[in-house]
Amino acid sequence: KLGTYGFLRFALPMFPHAAHRAMPLILALAVVGILYGALVAWMQTDMKKLVAYSSVAHLGFVMLGLAAFDLVAWQGALLQMINHGLSTGALFLLVGMLYDRRHTKEFREFGGLAKVMPCFAFFLVFSTLASVGLPALNGFVGEFMILIGAWQGGLRWATGLATFGVVLAAVYLLKMLQETIWGPIRKDENRSLADLSLREVATLLPLCILMLWIGGAPEGFLAPSRPALTSVLATYRAQMSAGPPAEVTLSP
């Protein structure tokens, strides 16, 4: 996220012509990141690795939004940087909490945890659906704005492929839920697992509140960023309209 912020805050406004020339490559890498990250996440058998590879796909969406050079896409990209810290951060916390209890992150070691850890199951489902992009949660707003802005920016083929990446995200994240908290309890060690403590709930609850808040009332987060992004985009377009900078020749 720091890297994508660097693109938005420094690279694009300071080097618009270089960014314009490099953008087809960046766009291609963004789409590859969305699809490849999703496919690799789908193949994982370790919860933490699955969440980690999902981050590759999420940041691919951010770069797709930046490549569109559209205000709506840029706002969606900026919001998605925040969303990633909330939903993926919550998923990493939940994986860590489960690892503290069982000292493993492999799917085959779990199953049926909702029966013995209902509070854990609630937060895992909530954070997963936010990461998938369920309407009324934060992930939906960011991804929808990116896709709309990219379509408006003329990136039709990239938008279509990225939309397929949204479907893949649902596949691998719902697979994680199916393998860990649903179904029968496959291991006797899981029957006595302790549910989340008050300290752990207090850690996760603010993240979930923000996920719901952004999903239900995103304007409170979009409005403060709009003037700054409008200014950066106007600067970029003005410098592009002025033509490439003149070459400087140094005499010996």
Side-chain angles (χ1 to χ4, degrees):
K1 292 183 287 295
L2 185 61
T4 52
Y5 172 79
F7 268 100
L8 184 60
R9 187 66 181 87
F10 300 108
L12 297 181
M14 294 177 66
F15 309 103
H17 298 281
H20 180 74
R21 287 194 294 269
M23 204 47 68
L25 175 60
I26 294 175
L27 178 62
L29 290 174
V31 174
V32 169
I34 292 170
L35 298 178
Y36 179 74
L39 291 173
V40 175
W42 189 3
M43 293 296 103
Q44 297 307 309
T45 60
D46 182 289
M47 292 180 68
K48 191 171 184 179
K49 289 181 180 179
L50 184 148
V51 176
Y53 278 110
S54 74
S55 299
V56 177
H58 285 157
L59 271 298
F61 273 101
V62 175
M63 291 308 300
L64 171 63
L66 298 183
F69 294 103
D70 178 86
L71 180 60
V72 174
W74 277 18
Q75 283 201 282
L78 185 60
L79 188 63
Q80 196 66 358
M81 296 181 207
I82 300 170
N83 293 339
H84 179 264
L86 295 173
S87 55
T88 305
L91 288 173
F92 273 125
L93 284 171
L94 287 160
V95 172
M97 292 168 186
L98 189 58
Y99 181 80
D100 283 343
R101 289 162 169 78
R102 284 283 279 110
H103 302 290
T104 180
K105 302 182 292 293
E106 292 289 329
F107 291 142
R108 64 174 180 270
E109 297 296 324
F110 301 110
L113 293 184
K115 297 180 176 65
V116 293
M117 302 175 68
C119 189
F120 172 86
F122 168 79
F123 281 106
L124 184 64
V125 170
F126 192 97
S127 303
T128 299
L129 293 180
S131 187
V132 167
L134 183 74
L137 294 177
N138 59 333
F140 173 79
V141 180
E143 290 182 356
F144 185 75
M145 292 183 69
I146 289 171
L147 294 175
I148 290 294
W151 185 270
Q152 292 177 168
L155 308 180
R156 305 294 173 85
W157 66 271
T159 305
L161 292 174
T163 304
F164 182 63
V166 176
V167 178
L168 290 177
V171 171
Y172 65 75
L173 286 168
L174 294 178
K175 168 197 169 184
M176 179 182 70
L177 292 182
Q178 177 65 33
E179 294 288 335
T180 54
I181 63 174
W182 306 132
I185 299 176
R186 297 194 293 264
K187 300 283 184 176
D188 290 335
E189 300 94 315
N190 297 330
R191 298 183 184 277
S192 59
L193 290 179
D195 206 352
L196 298 184
S197 65
L198 288 177
R199 175 179 57 85
E200 291 168 329
V201 171
T203 302
L204 293 167
L205 196 58
L207 299 177
C208 293
I209 291 173
L210 284 170
M211 293 179 212
L212 189 60
W213 185 4
I214 294 175
E219 185 60 21
F221 295 83
L222 296 173
S225 68
R226 191 172 294 120
L229 291 177
T230 301
S231 176
V232 173
L233 189 58
T235 301
Y236 170 84
R237 288 173 175 169
Q239 293 184 358
M240 289 300 297
S241 300
E247 295 184 4
V248 178
T249 303
L250 299 178
S251 57

